[in-house]
Amino acid sequence: MLEWPLVFMAGLLGSSHCIGMCGGFALALGSSSPTLAANLSRQLVYTSGRVFTYSVLGTLAAFGGWRMAAAMPRLVNLPAVLAIVAGGFLVYQGLRSAGWLGRPAKGSASGCLAGSIFSTFLTSPGWSNAFLAGMLTGLLPCGLLYGMLALAASTRNLWLGGAAMALFGLGTAPVMVLAGSGGSLLTLAGRRHLLRIAAWCVVLTGLISIARGCGFLTLEAALVDPSRCPFCP
Amino acid sequence: MTAASARVAVCDYCGLPLPGWGPEPAADDQPRYCCFGCKLAAAITAERGAEGHARSTLTRLGLSVFFSMNVMVFTLVLWTWDAPRPGQLADNPAAGERVAGERAAGSDPAADVFFQLLRYLCLLFSAPVLLLLAGPLLESAWQQLQRRAGVTDLLLVLGVAAAFGYSLVSVLRGSGHVYFEVACMVLVFVTLGRWLEATGKLKTTSVLRSLERLLPDRVRVLRDGEVVELPADQVRAGDTLRVLAGERIAIDGLLVRNQGAIDQQAVTGESTPVVKRPGDRVLSGTLNLDGDLWIEASAAAGSSTMQQVIAAVEQAALRGERYQRLADRVAGWFLPLVLVIAAATFGLHAAWHGWQAGLLASLAVILIACPCALGLATPMALWAALGRACQGQILFRDGDALTRLAATRWLFLDKTGTLTTGLSEVEQLILDPDTPGEQVLQVAAALAAGSSHPVSAAVGRYAARHISRVGSAESTSPLNPSNRISNPCSLAGRGVTGHVESLDQPAWLGSPRWMAELGQQPLAADNHPGAHDDHPGLHGPAEVGPRDDGPLDDHSHDGGGELSQVCLAWGGRVRAVFKLREQLRGEAVEALAGLRHLGCSVEILSGDERRRVDRLARSLGIAAQGDLLPDAKLRVIEHARRQGVVVMVGDGINDAPALAAADVGVAMGSGTDISRHSAAVCLLGNDLLRLPWAIGLARQTVRIVRWNLLWAFGYNSVGVLLAAAGWLNPMVAAAAMVGSSVLVVTNSLRLARFELSPSLPDAGPGA
């Protein structure tokens, strides 16, 4: 159904382009930890909060996709449209981070009202606060996330949608944990290299999603169960 | 402390004024908050300050979000489990939610067990949300009831409790709908929304708090010959304070020892430091750059300039402005109306679809109509604008002035002290050949001391400067104490007079016209060889124009770059003529261009001689009326008011009647003393460019207020209709409420970032 490895890869490599937004949070989170081990576990808890939110969002998106598909079963082939929309989103994001469509805007949550919530959670000690900070981070607007959610919506299955987003979230974990632990294991050149690979990986995921959607569109007649059509006997 | 400068009661978190509360602290010393959100936010802030609070308010909120998200997922699974057939959904999407959570009997038993398990999980995860968040909301509802501020919170709590209670019974019975997700989401959204509002309010008041924080908490005070450090609020008028270099001055006062450069930017916006010498006034909030200053406090703690500014802004915010009063009036009948609609919604839906449907629909009505956005629409914008204005060195004493300023198309400007620098300098002194210069200066200094008028001040300064010069050559005592004046008296439009003891006769300092009225014989010739001339090269003969207007009248002593005359006379003869020059303000041309760019027509109203006023007006390309006595000015303004909103800009003290007659009176350069007059708007600095800026800010404020109100009214009306029709899930209503409030707050906060130094359009030549 889904390109599971690609979803994971999109998270893994795509996350490096999101570090501009979420990396700062991860760093702020780690700043109150005395040791590397404490910081690392705090980062893991933070990441699990994010993965939790992504899964919930994926479930919601899948539910939305299911409801929409149920509401207009024949008129529009919704999964295909969603897959294409998701692909478009991802391609756009990928090209943006690859530098093809101008520099991505530097997002910052500190300017908005929600910023105070984040800073409060990020700097408060305790596991629950780290988890909650991660949970809220997962709600931040992010183009990559929207693309993935559209993908999750196209599954029309709560479990699949949730799992896809969880996988995506897990994919983002390694880079974010590394960024938050302050371990700049990669050189600047290496990071730039990784960034480029990540961007193209996101583009690839998007293209596959679009191709899949187009495939659905042409296979429409064969795939759709005639018993679900309210207009056909 | 006067009533005008009295501080108003403010919320202990966001600093917004609390209507209906006295300024005195609460009897039980409990902190006071304007809303549930502020209380919540204050709790969070306080707990962050204290160490080791594992279960903080914030964690409670966060955990509730976590549990609610779980409940949401379980509910989604329940909804997909036994969804209605697609055909039913297509006919009526809302029906999908109504039947959700209820499962047709007689299907797979294993699935049945899983289904029940999910319902129990929903219960398990939503119970903590109720425990964590309903308590504070209930408390807020109780306070709302006590203050007779409405019943919305109570209804919200009741709705949530009913949704939860019904779902609980359904789970225990094993059949029936569950609405756990509604209860959780409503609680979470309401709490989050209130907190965000409080955070927004805090941001709008941050400017004023930063002003207040400028004042040091502790000061060095001379007590019984020793310098002791005391809290600033214990300073009394008359205390001597020592302020070291680099410290801010806490209290208004007179410099009594040493001198130093003072940075007054925080108060007047003036970026160049001013050197203050003993006898000069220093202002609270200004920064002592390099001197070891000894200052005699002229005001007690709490009544210094900075605090008066803050108090005045608080008063203005409390009184609100007309849009706010409109919103309050509407809210006054909106709330009861909503209650009626909610009750009707409950009744009708309960009759048609069962009482759960009625409960959900009426809960949605209450949520969507909760007039948060309506209540926030104007105060937030107003407060943000007042704070921003303060940052731009403009004090609005009343919110209505802001609205009126935005509507203005007519500006009348006074000339002296407004378009020109009011602080004219004496450039030339022409002496009567038979009167000793020393005596003239002594008498002039003594008379000038009896008036605070800028021209008297200029004469006084000139005399003081030259007495020491003349005195060192001719006499041992620079200022003769026998030159005391008894019965000093200043006559508006004429000058000052008094009985000079050393002469043993009255003397007059004032306009040539007054001298003529008094029958004092004028000087024989203007350019007498005995003249002191400070700047011989600065004035050509063309600029030396005779004038018959006096210095101490209502700002008629002016002239753009021209010389004005002040005569000193006693014993039937004019003894000396002081010639003064004043300059057009450097930024006047640019400011006028800015005003024109805003579509305002500008006219000069001056008591000065028409010819001189006209010449200045022509060079500036604006209309002018000269030769206006104060009551003529009033008539002009009254007449103009019939055509629209009129703004009068002038010197706060001498133009007071004209300022009061206009729709908006703008007092210039009142940074030194805002308590002496009551113009609705004070330019704390002397920068004319602030005038177009203030109008721009006012217009932007009114735009934002109107937009906010339009949004709040539109959103509430449409929302209530949808909710009453039963088309709005309470969760959606709660989320929409948060969104609406955040929108209004964010929109208002744009004012707090209003460009402080806008680029004005190019001022053309002569513009």
Side-chain angles (χ1 to χ4, degrees):
Chain A
M1 180 75 194
L2 271 178
E3 293 72 19
W4 296 106
L6 265 178
V7 167
F8 182 77
M9 288 302 277
L12 177 67
L13 294 168
S15 62
S16 61
H17 102 277
C18 287
I19 278 195
M21 182 140 188
C22 302
F25 293 134
L27 274 178
L29 185 81
S31 61
S32 60
S33 301
T35 64
L36 183 68
N39 186 6
L40 205 65
S41 40
R42 216 169 137 75
Q43 295 293 342
L44 286 174
V45 172
Y46 171 77
T47 299
S48 60
R50 259 181 339 109
V51 171
F52 170 75
T53 297
Y54 291 155
S55 318
V56 172
L57 289 178
T59 317
L60 277 169
F63 180 77
W66 172 76
R67 276 291 295 273
M68 283 206 283
M72 33 182 174
R74 187 61 183 268
L75 304 177
V76 186
N77 189 344
L78 200 81
V81 172
L82 279 175
I84 293 171
V85 167
F89 240 120
L90 292 176
V91 169
Y92 174 73
Q93 278 298 322
L95 290 180
R96 253 175 86 96
S97 26
W100 276 37
L101 298 172
R103 295 305 306 160
K106 280 276 176 216
S108 161
S110 58
C112 69
L113 287 171
S116 55
I117 300 186
F118 281 105
S119 59
T120 313
F121 276 117
L122 284 169
T123 50
S124 299
W127 300 115
S128 57
N129 283 321
F131 183 82
L132 296 176
M135 214 171 74
L136 291 176
T137 311
L139 293 171
L140 283 180
C142 164
L144 189 63
L145 189 64
Y146 297 150
M148 284 297 164
L149 282 178
L151 213 60
S154 74
T155 63
R156 289 169 300 150
N157 179 314
L158 300 191
W159 309 111
L160 285 181
M165 289 305 291
L167 198 63
F168 164 73
L170 284 176
T172 64
V175 177
M176 284 293 287
V177 169
L178 271 185
S181 312
S184 49
L185 300 179
L186 289 165
T187 59
L188 192 66
R191 253 180 290 170
R192 231 179 250 151
H193 206 59
L194 187 70
L195 207 71
R196 188 144 314 130
I197 296 175
W200 289 116
C201 188
V202 171
V203 172
L204 185 66
T205 317
L207 288 177
I208 289 176
S209 178
I210 292 176
R212 201 167 53 95
C214 293
F216 279 5
L217 276 180
T218 51
L219 286 174
E220 181 184 14
L223 281 180
V224 173
D225 182 3
S227 67
R228 294 179 63 189
C229 173
F231 303 108
C232 306
Chain B
M1 218 188 290
T2 61
S5 67
R7 298 295 295 268
V8 299
V10 292
C11 170
D12 280 318
Y13 180 71
C14 68
L16 278 175
L18 292 168
W21 301 53
E24 66 283 346
D28 48 1
D29 218 23
Q30 289 288 310
R32 294 180 296 188
Y33 303 107
C34 61
C35 62
F36 171 49
C38 283
K39 188 168 187 228
L40 189 75
I44 289 166
T45 320
E47 280 165 10
R48 260 161 56 75
E51 286 294 320
H53 270 270
R55 289 278 170 272
S56 73
T57 312
L58 189 66
T59 310
R60 282 217 308 254
L61 181 58
L63 287 176
S64 306
V65 174
F66 171 73
F67 287 123
S68 301
M69 284 164 97
N70 280 297
V71 171
M72 202 60 232
V73 169
F74 297 140
T75 309
L76 288 182
V77 176
L78 282 177
W79 281 355
T80 48
W81 196 277
D82 56 353
R85 298 193 45 86
Q88 284 172 306
L89 274 175
D91 293 340
N92 181 7
E97 280 157 37
R98 295 235 180 74
V99 298
E102 195 168 31
R103 183 167 152 71
S107 43
D108 181 10
D112 235 14
V113 170
F114 186 65
F115 181 80
Q116 291 299 337
L117 181 72
L118 276 177
R119 284 160 62 104
Y120 272 98
L121 278 174
C122 279
L123 169 63
L124 189 70
F125 279 83
S126 53
V129 179
L130 200 73
L131 291 177
L132 290 168
L133 295 185
L137 191 63
L138 194 65
E139 203 180 318
S140 152
W142 174 239
Q143 280 175 0
Q144 217 184 25
L145 275 183
Q146 277 183 322
R147 282 165 52 191
R148 298 180 191 284
V151 289
T152 42
D153 281 3
L154 182 69
L155 289 177
L156 283 184
V157 173
L158 282 180
V160 166
F164 186 84
Y166 181 83
S167 309
L168 178 67
V169 173
S170 295
V171 169
L172 295 181
R173 275 174 50 216
S175 69
H177 306 288
V178 290
Y179 300 112
F180 291 118
E181 81 287 354
V182 171
C184 292
M185 289 311 220
V186 165
L187 280 176
V188 165
F189 277 129
V190 166
T191 312
L192 259 181
R194 302 282 170 90
W195 185 25
L196 285 176
E197 277 169 24
T199 316
K201 287 186 198 170
L202 188 70
K203 284 196 177 179
T204 58
T205 58
S206 65
V207 170
L208 281 186
R209 270 177 293 114
S210 66
L211 274 184
E212 204 159 25
R213 271 200 296 269
L214 277 180
L215 297 180
D217 294 332
R218 299 185 71 79
V219 291
R220 284 183 208 81
V221 181
L222 190 67
R223 286 271 163 93
D224 306 323
E226 256 182 90
V227 175
V228 287
E229 211 171 279
L230 286 177
D233 53 11
Q234 291 185 14
V235 175
R236 298 181 297 257
D239 275 344
T240 302
L241 276 69
R242 185 178 180 198
V243 181
L244 299 180
E247 291 181 344
R248 279 204 189 264
I249 296 165
I251 284 162
D252 292 356
L254 285 178
L255 190 54
V256 289
R257 199 198 294 180
N258 298 338
Q259 65 173 36
I262 307 274
D263 178 357
Q264 306 199 102
Q265 191 159 15
V267 182
T268 65
E270 200 176 350
S271 55
T272 343
V274 185
V275 174
K276 297 274 184 180
R277 298 191 172 78
D280 286 347
R281 258 190 100 211
V282 290
L283 296 176
S284 59
T286 56
L287 179 67
N288 172 15
L289 290 176
D290 57 4
D292 174 8
L293 304 182
W294 294 71
I295 292 159
E296 189 185 299
S298 58
S303 57
S304 54
T305 301
M306 187 75 89
Q307 280 153 325
Q308 281 179 26
V309 169
I310 295 166
V313 173
E314 279 172 353
Q315 290 276 356
L318 181 64
R319 279 196 295 272
E321 48 84 66
R322 68 189 171 99
Y323 287 106
Q324 188 171 344
R325 290 191 289 272
L326 174 75
D328 289 348
R329 263 209 309 282
V330 171
W333 56 256
F334 188 70
L335 261 183
L337 183 71
V338 164
L339 295 185
V340 169
I341 293 177
T345 305
F346 181 79
L348 291 176
H349 283 268
W352 290 336
H353 308 290
W355 74 275
Q356 311 96 303
L359 173 71
L360 289 190
S362 53
L363 188 59
V365 168
I366 301 281
L367 278 166
I368 206 85
C370 169
C372 304
L374 195 62
L376 285 169
T378 39
M380 293 283 290
L382 181 66
W383 191 250
L386 292 176
R388 192 55 168 176
C390 237
Q391 243 173 354
Q393 276 82 39
I394 292 173
L395 169 65
F396 282 94
R397 280 182 195 272
D398 101 55
D400 280 326
L402 198 73
T403 326
R404 287 197 299 262
L405 194 62
T408 190
R409 289 288 179 275
W410 286 85
L411 269 102
F412 289 116
L413 293 167
D414 172 42
K415 188 160 70 92
T416 307
T418 303
L419 274 175
T420 62
T421 52
L423 296 169
S424 24
E425 290 298 323
V426 175
E427 282 214 336
Q428 201 181 14
L429 169 62
I430 300 155
L431 290 171
D432 172 44
D434 307 328
T435 314
E438 168 71 5
Q439 193 178 24
V440 163
L441 291 172
Q442 292 279 2
V443 174
L447 280 172
S451 159
S452 63
H453 196 280
V455 172
S456 312
V459 169
R461 270 197 308 278
Y462 179 85
R465 211 164 46 235
H466 288 83
I467 285 168
S468 45
R469 199 201 287 173
V470 176
S472 58
E474 299 175 7
S475 139
T476 47
S477 132
L479 197 61
N480 189 343
S482 69
N483 275 312
R484 279 196 297 132
I485 305 283
S486 49
N487 305 324
C489 172
S490 65
L491 288 128
R494 294 189 165 81
V496 285
T497 178
H499 190 93
V500 183
E501 291 184 3
S502 62
L503 300 171
D504 199 24
Q505 61 175 308
W508 295 267
L509 179 71
S511 67
R513 189 165 56 191
W514 191 33
M515 297 300 144
E517 281 171 25
L518 291 165
Q520 305 283 335
Q521 188 190 343
L523 277 184
D526 259 2
N527 293 322
H528 194 270
H532 292 281
D533 199 337
D534 276 0
H535 315 283
L538 280 183
H539 55 92
E543 288 175 313
V544 183
R547 54 166 298 166
D548 53 7
D549 230 334
L552 304 174
D553 62 351
D554 181 48
H555 51 74
S556 55
H557 45 271
D558 43 12
E562 300 198 25
L563 295 184
S564 310
Q565 299 185 6
V566 186
C567 302
L568 177 68
W570 69 79
R573 239 172 55 207
V574 172
R575 305 289 171 155
V577 176
F578 294 86
K579 293 202 165 188
L580 297 106
R581 177 191 293 271
E582 50 175 12
Q583 295 292 332
L584 192 68
R585 283 187 198 280
E587 75 283 5
V589 170
E590 201 186 339
L592 289 175
L595 288 173
R596 260 199 301 270
H597 184 70
L598 290 168
C600 300
S601 56
V602 187
E603 192 170 340
I604 299 177
L605 291 188
S606 178
D608 198 4
E609 197 188 334
R610 175 165 300 161
R611 189 169 52 83
R612 292 146 49 83
V613 176
D614 283 346
R615 196 187 306 161
L616 179 76
R618 261 200 309 280
S619 72
L620 291 170
I622 55 175
Q625 297 188 41
D627 274 338
L628 293 176
L629 291 172
D631 57 330
K633 256 188 201 186
L634 286 188
R635 275 198 301 278
V636 172
I637 289 171
E638 298 284 344
H639 182 74
R641 281 189 66 187
R642 286 182 218 144
Q643 295 162 46
V645 180
V646 172
V647 174
M648 172 75 203
V649 187
D651 168 345
I653 297 151
N654 299 291
D655 287 323
L659 294 186
D663 293 291
V664 185
V666 181
M668 282 288 290
S670 35
T672 47
D673 197 351
I674 64 151
S675 60
R676 282 175 67 182
H677 56 82
S678 54
V681 183
C682 301
L683 265 58
L684 298 181
N686 275 318
D687 189 356
L688 271 181
L689 283 175
R690 285 289 149 203
L691 213 52
W693 182 82
I695 294 177
L697 176 72
R699 289 189 182 169
Q700 175 78 353
T701 308
V702 168
R703 262 198 299 276
I704 283 182
V705 163
R706 281 190 190 147
W707 197 93
N708 279 355
L709 282 179
L710 189 73
W711 164 258
F713 280 121
Y715 156 86
N716 277 313
S717 315
V718 173
V720 166
L721 285 181
L722 287 178
W727 293 335
L728 212 56
N729 187 299
M731 288 189 291
V732 180
M737 181 196 74
V738 173
S740 165
S741 295
V742 167
L743 197 72
V744 166
V745 169
T746 315
N747 200 25
S748 304
L749 278 174
R750 277 163 52 201
L751 286 169
R753 291 188 296 272
F754 188 78
E755 191 66 58
L756 264 183
S757 48
S759 52
L760 286 166
D762 285 340

